[in-house]
Amino acid sequence: MQDLNETTITDAVRAQMSRTADPRLCQIMDAAVRHLHNFAREVTLTPAEWLEGIKFLTAVGHASTPIRQEFILLSDVLGLSALINALHDNEAAELGTQTSLLGPFFREAAPEISLGGSIIANPCVPLVTMYGRVTDTTGRGIPGATVEIWQTDEHGLYDLQKDGGAQMDMRGRVRCDAAGNYHFRTVRPLGYSIPLDGPVGKLVQAQERHGFRPSHIHFLIAAPNHRELVTALYFGDDAHVESDTVFGVSASLIVCARDDDPNTPIPDLAAVQYDFRLGREASQGTGRVGADPAATVA
Ligand code: BEZ
Ligand code: FE
């Protein structure tokens, strides 16, 4: 007869689950139960606190819709999404530019713009030029690589946050020239708060965190036979660059806008320069983690 207590229960659960036919599911659930039980023991989780946790996760589920994924936001603010990205980077056959979070504001079918074109429909502040190269890991330019861009405007809003996203704006796709060079015009984006009107926002506020992401521009870069790159560049002078709420910032992804860049292709505008490196294609699947919230809702 089993005689379970707060210590032996962990191995009893593991034993029951050990017949799982799928070896990876078996490994994941075994580790999950060990860590979950150790967590409950470590904090001596009370029944009331356990119920609070259940209520919180229920609210996270209810806040999730085909266009809003509150569980991914939870993963983001706990640093899990950034950790999963880092683990995915470690699987790469070659080390390219570091990845960063895709975030919830990516949209398929961004408008094609010509080299040097603007991704802003109605600019009302001075534009900046963003330019550089897309290369392989030896520094050789990749002709025709596609550079997809999305960002907030100078007020910190994505197009999806205006008029229900009726107009595609502050996003576009440029194709590199034969030497792998790209450039486009844009506005300097403003940092913004992650959505704080749901259960994850309540948690972030209870933790006395500011909830902001520093000013950044998102990129999705692709070329045949190369690993798709999902990343973002962060403006180093933003007040929140050291305390991003979703832990997407890395030192190698910091940029600045310069008024005196001698190499800029558009001399009248401030310029931001960055070269992206793509590794060779590997078979570990996409880096577009959570690109489609609708796909996560049954
Ligand atoms: C973003 O950068 O768009 C983003 C990422 C994670 C949570 C919220 C926004
Ligand atoms: Fe963003």
Side-chain angles (χ1 to χ4, degrees):
M1 184 67 196
Q2 272 189 331
D3 186 18
L4 300 179
N5 61 33
E6 79 281 3
T7 310
T8 57
I9 189 163
T10 304
D11 281 344
V13 176
R14 295 175 66 207
Q16 263 198 31
M17 299 190 313
S18 65
R19 286 183 296 278
T20 308
D22 178 338
R24 182 65 176 153
L25 178 63
C26 192
Q27 181 192 15
I28 288 172
M29 287 311 299
D30 186 69
V33 163
R34 279 188 287 109
H35 288 280
L36 196 59
H37 285 205
N38 281 337
F39 148 72
R41 278 188 286 261
E42 182 182 319
V43 300
T44 321
L45 198 68
T46 68
E49 290 161 345
W50 169 83
L51 192 59
E52 270 310 303
I54 300 286
K55 281 196 216 160
F56 173 73
L57 292 176
T58 304
V60 171
H62 284 151
S64 297
T65 70
I67 55 165
R68 174 173 180 157
Q69 229 305 347
E70 193 79 356
F71 274 110
I72 293 183
L73 191 62
L74 178 60
S75 161
D76 294 343
V77 304
L78 297 181
L80 181 61
S81 308
L83 170 60
I84 299 296
N85 273 351
L87 295 172
H88 182 68
D89 282 359
N90 287 346
E91 297 296 311
E94 288 180 334
L95 211 57
T97 296
Q98 240 175 310
T99 60
S100 189
L101 302 182
L102 181 99
F105 299 109
F106 172 73
R107 285 171 99 166
E108 300 285 350
E112 294 265 354
I113 53 170
S114 53
L115 271 179
S118 169
I119 64 165
I120 308 298
N122 301 304
C124 41
V125 290
L127 294 173
V128 295
T129 308
M130 171 88 223
Y131 78 99
R133 292 176 81 209
V134 177
T135 74
D136 64 18
T137 55
T138 70
R140 207 171 318 128
I142 304 178
T146 56
V147 177
E148 193 156 344
I149 310 122
W150 67 106
Q151 63 166 78
T152 57
D153 63 10
E154 68 277 19
H155 305 295
L157 290 175
Y158 285 95
D159 57 0
L160 282 167
Q161 296 170 307
K162 300 188 215 180
D163 303 327
Q167 194 194 359
M168 285 254 197
D169 195 7
M170 295 160 299
R171 63 182 73 234
R173 183 198 310 253
V174 290
R175 194 172 286 280
C176 292
D177 68 14
N181 293 306
Y182 73 89
H183 75 291
F184 62 90
R185 285 171 294 139
T186 185
V187 293
R188 195 190 143 136
L190 193 68
Y192 57 88
S193 171
I194 63 161
L196 292 178
D197 56 342
V200 173
K202 279 205 194 101
L203 175 67
V204 165
Q205 284 165 325
Q207 294 168 331
E208 309 209 2
R209 297 161 68 181
H210 52 62
F212 275 86
R213 297 217 69 202
S215 166
H216 60 275
I217 304 178
H218 293 272
F219 293 89
L220 191 156
I221 302 182
N225 305 319
H226 291 81
R227 186 176 165 95
E228 185 177 77
L229 173 67
V230 175
T231 194
L233 298 178
Y234 296 88
F235 286 85
D237 56 0
D238 189 291
H240 299 117
V241 79
E242 296 284 359
S243 58
D244 180 11
T245 306
V246 297
F247 308 95
V249 182
S250 305
S252 67
L253 301 176
I254 300 290
V255 291
C256 67
R258 286 180 57 186
D259 290 323
D260 58 350
D261 183 338
N263 303 314
T264 176
I266 309 181
D268 298 341
L269 301 179
V272 178
Q273 189 276 338
Y274 197 87
D275 294 339
F276 296 96
R277 290 164 87 91
L278 302 191
R280 265 177 294 126
E281 180 135 61
S283 57
Q284 270 81 18
T286 179
R288 298 188 195 192
V289 181
D292 179 10
T296 64
V297 179

